[in-house]
Amino acid sequence: MTTGSGTAPAHPAETTPAAARPARRGAYRRLSVEERRAQLISAALGLFAHRAPEDVSLDDVATAAGASRPLVYRYFPGGKQQLYEAALRTAADELELCFAEPRSGPVTVRLSQALDRYLAFVAERDTGFSALLQGGSVAETSRTNAIVDEVRRAAADQILLHLEVAEPGPRLRMMVRTWITAVEAASLMWLDEGKQPPMAELRDWLIDHFVTLLAATGASDPQTARVLRAALAIEPAEGQAGALARRLMPVLGDASHLL
Amino acid sequence: MTTGSGTAPAHPAETTPAAARPARRGAYRRLSVEERRAQLISAALGLFAHRAPEDVSLDDVATAAGASRPLVYRYFPGGKQQLYEAALRTAADELELCFAEPRSGPVTVRLSQALDRYLAFVAERDTGFSALLQGGSVAETSRTNAIVDEVRRAAADQILLHLEVAEPGPRLRMMVRTWITAVEAASLMWLDEGKQPPMAELRDWLIDHFVTLLAATGASDPQTARVLRAALAIEPAEGQAGALARRLMPVLGDASHLL
């Protein structure tokens, strides 16, 4: 029906993971090596969403994926550690996709769209997100830290790209990376608090945090001040930066003795 | 000279760590159990300041402390893991002391003094600070995470105390905890960057960050807005909040279309 000989292979595709076979149709459609691998990782990520990695066995993954334990071991001969790293790698790649956003329009709108995707990812992964970020005792910390750090770096690069900064100075870089850590920490707290406040409220707060942190940094760093000026210039009054500015006025109004 | 019989003990004090002996003077002054333990932990912390915990052996600690390897093992029969946890515990206790600050005067001044102590601690521990925070592969993550989380909680409690908030709502709590994570992340970056910018500059930026994050949060949370108003009311114009407000004016001046 699909393969060269026209007959079913003597051995299931899974016994020869080195050779990727074309996918076949029908009730007995066998998965290609890549598809099977992706399916096992997806099953593992599904389990990590409700349990800590150390509480997920390869048996559990096999059951969830409708596969045999030996098959799971054939794909991940390094066992739990290898499966965990592969899952983290996959999650990291998905996470990096969240940050991709066209470079047009007000920065707060772009940030809002990227944060919506990021928070949806966090909400879906839930416990698994915490576990992936924190490594857990199952994983070798330095290797998993490297994967997570790569995502943080990718996020920082994206933000600097949107701020139109080709050569960020140390203060601006530190500001952006600090905000990314804050976003991460806030997401973990948000999961801990049963996803309260509502996602849109958390997102808006994170954007307000970004804008005010740009201001705090711009107050003593000329490059950041230029970036902030350029960003605010294209923010519309009815947008989020405008709403923030108007909401801040009464709060700061009482502090005119400081000026 | 010191003990009941008036003669030197047949065995060195270190062979009976269960019984704390009074310290003795002279060239051969023996350490009490607690002193010896503290000395070994201090030697370990000194080594962690320059090397990752996994690269520090009990032999190294013995050499640094001028003690024998068997002695180190008598005090830490659990080996490296136990020594590491004891060192982390000691560092955590020292760190918590940094936060103690009288509850009077402008909040930015109190924060400034606590941050000076904290950053001095970070600078002194250097590599060890990163290692302690990140656990490293030598330690069981969940136990060391619990110790580090306790320090974060203590810091948050202190800040809420200084803000005179008896019952912080979820938004204010999230704000304070987010800022603490940001401080931690910024300290690690600061160490990575060879302690640049200068410590006082980093401290002032962290305070500006705190004030603007209070404002960003107060813009949509009434409790935080009240806290911010009360805090700004006692800030003097010549203080840091005043300096921040005046430096922000020209940066934000171009954004009047948002109001």
Side-chain angles (χ1 to χ4, degrees):
Chain A
M1 202 202 274
T2 51
T3 49
S5 69
T7 60
H11 301 288
E14 290 86 351
T15 59
T16 55
R21 288 154 184 270
R24 308 197 306 169
R25 285 213 194 83
Y28 275 51
R29 174 178 177 276
R30 292 215 176 77
L31 301 176
S32 74
V33 168
E34 272 317 301
E35 284 173 327
R36 177 58 96 179
R37 198 181 129 83
Q39 186 214 18
L40 295 177
I41 289 174
S42 161
L45 282 169
L47 294 172
F48 291 154
H50 305 289
R51 271 182 276 165
E54 50 267 40
D55 298 333
V56 174
S57 71
L58 289 189
D59 270 352
D60 297 332
V61 173
T63 306
S68 69
R69 194 165 189 275
L71 181 135
V72 177
Y73 261 104
R74 247 186 337 266
Y75 277 77
F76 302 100
K80 235 168 166 172
Q81 166 73 23
Q82 195 192 353
L83 176 72
Y84 176 80
E85 274 187 39
L88 181 59
R89 182 73 271 164
T90 301
D93 291 345
E94 280 177 39
L95 202 45
E96 287 187 29
L97 287 179
C98 295
F99 310 145
E101 178 65 31
R103 287 168 63 188
S104 64
V107 169
T108 56
V109 174
R110 304 185 218 172
L111 210 51
S112 177
Q113 276 155 1
L115 279 172
D116 275 343
R117 287 190 291 270
Y118 168 78
L119 290 174
F121 177 94
V122 171
E124 192 200 335
R125 296 272 176 254
D126 210 315
T127 318
F129 180 76
S130 319
L132 287 171
L133 269 189
Q134 289 163 355
S137 59
V138 72
E140 199 198 309
T141 320
S142 60
R143 290 165 63 101
T144 54
N145 276 354
I147 298 177
V148 174
D149 274 344
E150 189 195 297
V151 178
R152 292 184 185 124
R153 258 197 307 279
D157 289 347
Q158 273 298 318
I159 291 175
L160 291 167
L161 209 67
H162 282 280
L163 295 177
E164 316 269 351
V165 185
E167 291 185 22
R171 299 292 307 275
L172 184 55
R173 263 190 295 126
M174 189 183 262
M175 182 241 127
V176 168
R177 289 171 59 202
T178 299
W179 182 75
I180 287 166
T181 318
V183 169
E184 222 177 82
S187 330
L188 291 174
M189 290 172 214
W190 182 64
L191 290 178
D192 268 354
E193 302 272 344
K195 300 180 186 164
Q196 284 302 318
M199 197 189 282
E201 214 176 291
L202 175 65
R203 175 201 65 206
D204 288 347
W205 178 66
L206 291 171
I207 298 172
D208 288 351
H209 183 175
F210 184 80
V211 174
T212 55
L213 186 53
L214 262 181
T217 311
S220 55
D221 179 58
Q223 183 184 40
T224 309
R226 279 195 301 277
V227 163
L228 175 64
R229 276 205 178 87
L232 290 182
I234 57 164
E235 291 287 330
E238 67 277 10
Q240 187 166 347
L244 172 65
R246 288 189 299 276
R247 278 180 289 128
L248 274 179
M249 292 310 286
V251 182
L252 299 178
D254 297 347
S256 55
H257 67 286
L258 293 178
L259 295 177
Chain B
M1 201 200 274
T2 52
T3 48
S5 69
T7 60
H11 301 289
E14 289 87 350
T15 59
T16 55
R21 287 153 185 271
R24 307 197 306 169
R25 284 211 195 85
Y28 275 53
R29 174 177 178 278
R30 290 211 178 79
L31 301 176
S32 75
V33 168
E34 272 319 300
E35 284 173 327
R36 176 59 96 179
R37 197 181 130 84
Q39 185 214 19
L40 295 176
I41 289 174
S42 161
L45 282 169
L47 294 171
F48 291 155
H50 305 289
R51 272 182 275 165
E54 50 266 39
D55 297 333
V56 174
S57 71
L58 289 189
D59 270 352
D60 297 334
V61 173
T63 305
S68 69
R69 194 164 190 277
L71 182 136
V72 178
Y73 262 104
R74 249 189 332 269
Y75 277 77
F76 302 100
K80 235 169 165 172
Q81 166 74 23
Q82 195 192 354
L83 176 72
Y84 176 80
E85 275 186 38
L88 181 59
R89 183 71 272 162
T90 300
D93 292 344
E94 281 178 39
L95 202 44
E96 286 187 29
L97 287 179
C98 295
F99 311 145
E101 178 65 29
R103 288 168 62 188
S104 64
V107 169
T108 57
V109 173
R110 305 185 217 173
L111 210 51
S112 176
Q113 274 153 4
L115 280 171
D116 276 342
R117 286 189 292 268
Y118 167 78
L119 291 173
F121 177 94
V122 170
E124 192 200 334
R125 296 270 175 259
D126 209 315
T127 318
F129 180 76
S130 320
L132 287 171
L133 268 189
Q134 289 163 355
S137 58
V138 72
E140 200 198 306
T141 319
S142 60
R143 290 165 63 99
T144 55
N145 275 354
I147 299 177
V148 174
D149 273 344
E150 189 196 299
V151 179
R152 291 183 186 125
R153 258 196 309 278
D157 289 347
Q158 275 297 317
I159 290 175
L160 290 167
L161 209 67
H162 283 280
L163 296 177
E164 316 269 348
V165 186
E167 291 186 23
R171 299 292 307 273
L172 184 55
R173 264 189 294 125
M174 190 183 260
M175 182 242 127
V176 168
R177 290 171 59 201
T178 300
W179 181 76
I180 287 166
T181 318
V183 169
E184 222 176 83
S187 330
L188 290 174
M189 291 173 214
W190 182 63
L191 290 178
D192 268 353
E193 301 273 344
K195 299 179 188 165
Q196 283 303 317
M199 197 191 281
E201 214 176 290
L202 175 65
R203 176 202 63 208
D204 288 348
W205 178 65
L206 291 171
I207 299 172
D208 288 349
H209 182 176
F210 184 80
V211 175
T212 56
L213 185 52
L214 262 181
T217 311
S220 55
D221 179 58
Q223 184 184 40
T224 310
R226 279 194 301 276
V227 163
L228 176 64
R229 276 204 178 88
L232 290 182
I234 58 163
E235 290 286 331
E238 68 278 11
Q240 187 165 348
L244 172 65
R246 289 188 299 276
R247 278 180 288 128
L248 275 179
M249 292 311 286
V251 182
L252 299 178
D254 297 347
S256 55
H257 67 285
L258 293 178
L259 295 177

